[in-house]
Every structure is written in structure tokens, then in C-alpha cells.
Amino acid sequence: MPNLPVMEPADIVVFGGTGDLAMRKLLPALYLRDRDGQLDADTRIVAVSRSGLDDADYRDKVDSELRRTTPAWTGSTCESDEVHETFLRRLHHVTLDVADDDWSALADLLGPPEGRIRVLYLASAPKLFGRICVGSHAHGIVDDASRVVLEKPLGTDLASAQAINDEVGSVFSEEQIYRIDHYLGKETVQNLLVLRFGNSLFEPLWNAGQIDHVQITVAESIGVGGRADYYDGSGAMRDMVQNHLLQLLCLVAMEPPARIDGEGVRDEKLKVLQSLRPLVGPDVVRDTVRGQYTEGLVDGTAVPGYGTELAESRAGTPNELTPSDTETFVALRAEVANWRWAGVPFYLRTGKRLARHASEIVVQFKPVPHSIFPSFGEEIPPNRLVLRLQPDEGVRLHMTAKQPGPGGIRPHPAALDLSFARTFGDRLPDAYERLLMDVLRGNPTLFMRRDEIEAAWRWAEPVLNTWAETDQKPRPYSAGGHGPASATYLIERDGRAWHEDY
Ligand code: BG6
């Protein structure tokens, strides 16, 4: 690990401080940055929730949750480990219902910012975002130097996203707002920028003249489980495509930014979103597939279908048996209508309860124009650049090489393989570690600007509307498979195939 800079002293205030995101992602990430010496001795982490816990209860809760979920926590020596103690001492808990007027406990604990970096991390329901910002301002907790981090989902459509942005924007300027998409904090995703713009090799080939198509797959083997209630109001299009997959598409498709800074990168991503060919009416029917998992086998274990999980999570309510049309899988064919990408399809696919947990970006180049190797026929496989986001992060360039030995020239598929684990050895930090430090250092490059979010909704909304209007039901697919058959047809009808080698 290189020498890491120590961040300025800060107050990190987590609204939703006892929730799943705080326990599974934020606190482990902060602990790991603390362990590596990046948090100043004076930095405090203040959790806000309605739970009624005091500081000691909260510290106990965090200790036991991290013991359960975070190998790095249990991997350290024992309870008396100084690093654990130091981290736990930073933690405070304030009980607050943000709808109430009495914010005195939080205001007293924090005091006025007085030049200190203060970060409000909103890991709570988006409908509370505006109220939290307004309340924090009214009670003197924030000033012009404070920052606010907004977790997704940011709205369920363009209008609701605009309403949240307006409310938050009534207190904070755009420079103070950090809209998180944790995919942008993933090492392999950042590496896409370096791969494209730190090497001269790919950029001359990165266009419609040389690239046949691009595939972006984010496959999960988990189901919706305990999140069924949230998920049912969202679905894969809102939960994954509108944000994570479109952000990946932007990084693949964008022009070289003038600088690697907040505005440079975000300006270029915005242009991609604005260039997406709208999918409306018949395009939606032709170019999108949505699915919903039924029961099946994942890794040899029998798992229930989505409807059962949803009914279980709603047991006792009248909705219990209402079938849901929420999609847990989406595949679609998008196009970036500009000079660089004219005619190059971008196939996007994501789903829950698929065969395995694997995400990748595949850039497929055009085939050689003419084969001179008769033994290989016309079928020399085209070059393919595969960026594996997870698991086994790395980059693989599929090539054709001569099979060694006598017997004439026998071309054979072979791959140049860059495994991050083998090459760099270090543990790859979780996306939240990087992104939280970026907020403290005031670097917005890997966060989404308001215009980006709204452009993404402008493109996604007609798809959602058409699904609702045409009553096009999600296609069932068995848990543990590759999604509905129509997703295979979506790409095969273009004479192409999904890359299933992950
Ligand atoms: C979240 C979605 O944003 O991303 C989840 O809400 C999804 O539904 C998760 O499971 C996937 O993230 P990762 O980092 O595990 O690929």
C-alpha cells in the first residue's frame, strides 16, 4: 500500500446510521481507511437514527455487526486491538426523527462547523433527503463548506429526481452535492479510464470502424431477499440500468476528457447520455426484454421465486398474494447516436438469481476482413477485450495465435490476461473506501452531477412507461440460469451472441 494521505479532521454524519448500508458498507469502509491511517485523530463519525441507542450501545452494535460481516474486522487481533478501539471511540449515535423539530441533541453534539469539514451522508429513504438538508441548515449544522452525499435511488422517474435535486439544491450548491454510484468507485471501473486514456494502443481502434459491438453484463446470483419491499417498487431498470449500467456505458463510450477532474469527466459522460438513441414505443418492444425469476437451483441450492420472496416479506398484508410485474432482469440493445459510435450496438444485461455473480464489459472488435488460414475457414474469432469487474478483477484480450508445433499453421484462440490480484498483489479496496475519501478530499470526479442523473432518467423513463402501457409482462426465467430465452434472441437476431465465458 503506498503512503496514503491523512484527510483533514471531519465530522461524518450518517443519516440511516443503523441501516443495512451503514453496517455492510460505510462503517467497514471507514474502518479500513482508519486502519490505514487516513482518518485524522480528530475525525468523528456520528450515526443518526430513530433507534434510541446511546454511544455505548451503538459501538457495541457496530462491533458485533462488523464481527459478523467484515473479515478485516475479525481478522485483526482481538477486542483490545488499538485500531478497533480507536475506531469505535470515533463513533457516536444520536436518536432523531428528522420529521421532528427538536434537533438539539444533534446540533449540540456537532456544534457549528466553524471551518471543519462536515459530511452529511444520506443513507436513508430518499423521501427524507430534502427534509434532512433543510433541517440541518435550519439548525446550523452545515455551512458553505459542508458536503452532502446522496445514496441511490435518486427518484423513481425524472420528475421525482428533479424534485429531490431541487429540495437538496435549496440548501446546498451543486459543488457540495455528491451523488454516489458505487460502481464508479470500483477499481476495474476506474481502470477503464486508465486503460483507454493511459495507453495509446486502444484509442485509435475505439470507434465504429473497428468495434463491432459492446456488451455490458452485471449478473448477480443473489435474489432480492429481505429487500423485496424496496425492490418491488423499483425493479432492475431503476435499480441497476438507469445508474450503474449507464455509467459503465458512459465510461466506455465517452470522448477523452480534457482533464481527469470533476467537470472534464462528467461533461463527457453527459454527452454520451444525451446521445443515447431514445427507446420509445415499438423500439421498446423490439429492443428490450424484462424478466422475473421463478424458483430454481443456484449453486446447487434450491431457491424460491421472486413472487414467493415478495409474499414472504409482505406476510400478513393484503398484498400478500398479488402477483408482481416488477422485473428482476433486463436485457436491452442501446445505441449511442454520434460519429464515434454510429451503428454500434451496446447490449446491456443485468439480473438477479442468475447462474453466478459476475460483471464484465466486453468490447468485441470486427473480424479480420479476409482469412488467409484455410484450416481456420472463414471463422477466425474476432478480437475481444473483456474487462472483468467482479469477481477476479482483470482485463483479458482475446487474440488468435499460432498453435505451436508442426502440422502447418494452426491458428488458435489465446488470451493476454491481466489479473489485478496477481499483478498488484494488494487487496482491492471496496468502492466505498475510495468514494468516502474522495468526499473528504473534495473530489467529485466519480460522483454524478445533477444533469447526468436527469439525462439518464430522460432516457430510461420512456422504457418504463412503455412497459407499463403495453402491459408487457416480465418473462419468467428459472433461478440459476442465464435469464429469459428472449434475451438470447435479442442479441442472436443480430447474428451475435452473449459472451458467457465469465
Ligand atoms: C445496488 C443495488 O446499487 O447494487 C443492488 O441496489 C445490487 O440491488 C447492488 O445488488 C450490486 O452491487 P455490487 O457492488 O454487489 O455489484
Side-chain angles (χ1 to χ4, degrees), residues 136-280:
S136 301
H137 183 251
H139 294 89
I141 289 169
V142 290
D143 65 8
D144 290 352
S146 303
R147 292 149 207 184
V148 61
V149 185
L150 307 182
E151 257 298 336
K152 67 176 266 280
L154 209 76
T156 51
D157 55 15
L158 178 60
S160 54
Q162 283 172 328
I164 295 173
N165 282 328
D166 284 345
E167 271 185 298
V168 175
S170 70
V171 173
F172 294 103
S173 66
E174 183 61 27
E175 292 68 44
Q176 294 175 277
I177 304 174
Y178 290 73
R179 297 178 192 82
I180 210 159
D181 182 315
H182 78 278
Y183 266 60
L184 294 178
K186 287 183 188 280
E187 281 293 331
T188 341
V189 176
Q190 292 166 51
N191 203 40
L192 182 53
L193 287 173
V194 181
L195 190 83
R196 282 194 61 195
F197 306 124
N199 297 286
S200 56
L201 193 61
F202 295 112
E203 211 40 36
L205 308 177
W206 212 257
N207 56 54
Q210 304 300 326
I211 291 179
D212 179 74
H213 73 278
V214 175
Q215 299 181 17
I216 301 178
T217 296
V218 178
E220 297 185 276
S221 54
I222 53 166
V224 294
R227 294 170 78 223
D229 235 0
Y230 146 75
Y231 194 88
D232 201 54
S234 167
M237 187 73 181
R238 293 184 173 93
D239 187 53
M240 298 294 289
V241 178
Q242 186 271 347
N243 34 75
H244 303 326
L245 276 83
L246 284 189
Q247 286 294 317
L248 296 179
L249 183 152
C250 285
L251 292 178
V252 174
M254 74 184 193
E255 295 300 315
R259 293 171 310 279
I260 183 87
D261 65 11
E263 302 320 315
V265 172
R266 298 191 296 179
D267 285 349
E268 295 307 334
K269 285 197 292 158
L270 176 65
K271 286 185 211 158
V272 175
L273 291 166
Q274 290 169 334
S275 308
L276 282 171
R277 188 173 62 78
L279 284 175
V280 279

Side-chain angles (χ1 to χ4, degrees), residues 39-57:
L39 297 189
D40 183 272
D42 204 18
T43 287
R44 297 185 290 177
I45 301 168
V46 179
V48 180
S49 82
R50 292 184 300 178
S51 65
L53 301 177
D54 62 17
D55 287 357
D57 298 333

Side-chain angles (χ1 to χ4, degrees), residues 398-415:
H398 292 260
M399 326 246 306
T400 300
K402 175 189 176 295
Q403 190 166 348
I409 293 187
R410 282 169 298 134
H412 192 79

